[in-house]
Amino acid sequence: MLHALVALFQGMFLLSAALMLLGLIRPVWVLWFLDRSNRLMVIRIYGSIGLAFFILWKACSLLP
């Protein structure tokens, strides 16, 4: 069960990193739900989500 959780957090981290890279190229592709979109918003939103999933991934990996 723990391995599935680690895999989920790893996948979500990789997805948010990919979306952040895509948003740095064209922000409107990943921030379609906002009225205004720029690269700083992409870094704020997807960077914080990615950082949270990275921390959860590494924290769950340390558990026995």
Side-chain angles (χ1 to χ4, degrees):
M1 182 68 181
L2 187 61
H3 295 294
L5 195 60
V6 169
L8 175 72
F9 289 148
Q10 183 181 15
M12 294 301 287
F13 166 71
L14 292 174
L15 178 66
S16 65
L19 287 174
M20 186 171 74
L21 288 175
L22 184 65
L24 289 176
I25 296 169
R26 185 112 169 125
V28 75
W29 287 346
V30 295
L31 296 178
W32 53 269
F33 51 88
L34 296 176
D35 292 335
R36 297 177 64 197
S37 59
N38 56 25
R39 287 174 179 86
L40 184 61
M41 289 176 136
V42 169
I43 292 172
R44 262 191 222 149
I45 293 171
Y46 288 101
S48 61
I49 291 170
L51 182 64
F53 280 122
F54 181 76
I55 291 170
L56 287 171
W57 170 29
K58 291 301 177 181
C60 286
S61 294
L62 294 176
L63 295 175

